[in-house]
Amino acid sequence: MTASLLQPYRLNDTLTLSNRFVMAPLTRCMAGPGLVPTDLMAAYYGRRADVGLIVSEAVIIRPDGQGYPNTPGLYSPEQIAGWRKVTDAVHAGGGKIFAQLWHVGRLSHPFFHHAEVLAPSAVAFEGTVPRMRELTYQVPRALTVAEIAQLVLDYAQAAANAIDAGFDGVEIHGANGYLIDQFLHHDSNQRDDEFGGSPEKMARFALDVVDAITARIGADRTALRLSPGGYVHLKGDARDRAVFDYLLAQLDTRALAYLHVGIFDDNMTFDYLDGRASDYMRAHYRGNLVGVGQLNADSAAEAVAANRFDLAAIGRPLIANPDYIARVRDGAELVAYSESMLPELV
């Protein structure tokens, strides 16, 4: 069945992918000074150019969006030039690559940017910063309406910067408990203004960002990742279902490149979604859907054959196997992933 995943896939009139595999966004913390992408990153992505679509590691849209050390940005000329080396390497190998646009919201820390931590509401996430366990998350300040409007503009500018850097499109990171996702869940959005309190108002920021980016670079080059099931960095709430029912209905009218499920394990189920997040999204969205979450080539092929999603995102196996596509094609055994690989692996 895996042979079907190795056939070209027409995403839309603009983009046709060489196969149905997607490289999932994988935070590697490899950026250099100034959060500029490095030659090592260009080599890393270039070696995986035979994947149908690469989604970059999450990329910070502005300085106060940082929540992890050495994560690359896309807001300075130097960063744009650094990413151009990456996209050139991918295109030289015949591949396509989207930039995943990111602001972590309340999961940021002043250590990174010496500014306030901003979020939908003044509700902290309890815990410590990954890779910097000495840093404890702080109570954020709730964004003003004017600051939310500026963030929409900053997302759109980051998308334009991505195109200038040679990316084929962008995936908006609206999942996994980061800023956009914080607006979409009752646990982290306790506003009572035009951005909180009802499904329509809670979904407004996400839709404003989508509309601003599509106006700037086109819907055909714009994608969105969503986590309707609250499973990381926030708590799920049965009321969230109505927010995503409304959001997905709105997105269904916008002809985006695709939606991408944000989940670590596709076998996870949520009572208020009546099962898996991927099945819920498929039932409520008619466009291209990218599945993810502990998939292998066989389980991905079965899911695509069953019409559960159209494209299959692969994460850690692609870190361990830069020749993943060739191994799948040849039926060769995969190298097992281990965190011990990360310091040196390209």
Side-chain angles (χ1 to χ4, degrees), residues 86-97:
V86 173
T87 60
D88 283 349
V90 172
H91 292 149
K96 292 182 171 61
I97 182 169

Side-chain angles (χ1 to χ4, degrees), residues 313-326:
I314 305 296
R316 290 174 175 177
L318 260 166
I319 293 180
N321 300 270
D323 57 346
Y324 181 87
I325 298 298

Side-chain angles (χ1 to χ4, degrees), residues 162-174:
I163 300 303
D164 288 346
F167 284 99
D168 298 287
V170 302
E171 177 181 292
I172 305 161
H173 199 341

Side-chain angles (χ1 to χ4, degrees), residues 54-96:
I54 293 173
V55 182
S56 79
E57 62 205 275
V59 183
I60 306 159
I61 65 164
R62 67 186 206 183
D64 66 356
Q66 185 177 1
Y68 300 77
N70 303 318
T71 48
L74 194 48
Y75 51 84
S76 75
E78 295 78 13
Q79 292 163 354
I80 294 170
W83 278 116
R84 171 61 75 170
K85 295 180 181 179
V86 173
T87 60
D88 283 349
V90 172
H91 292 149
K96 292 182 171 61

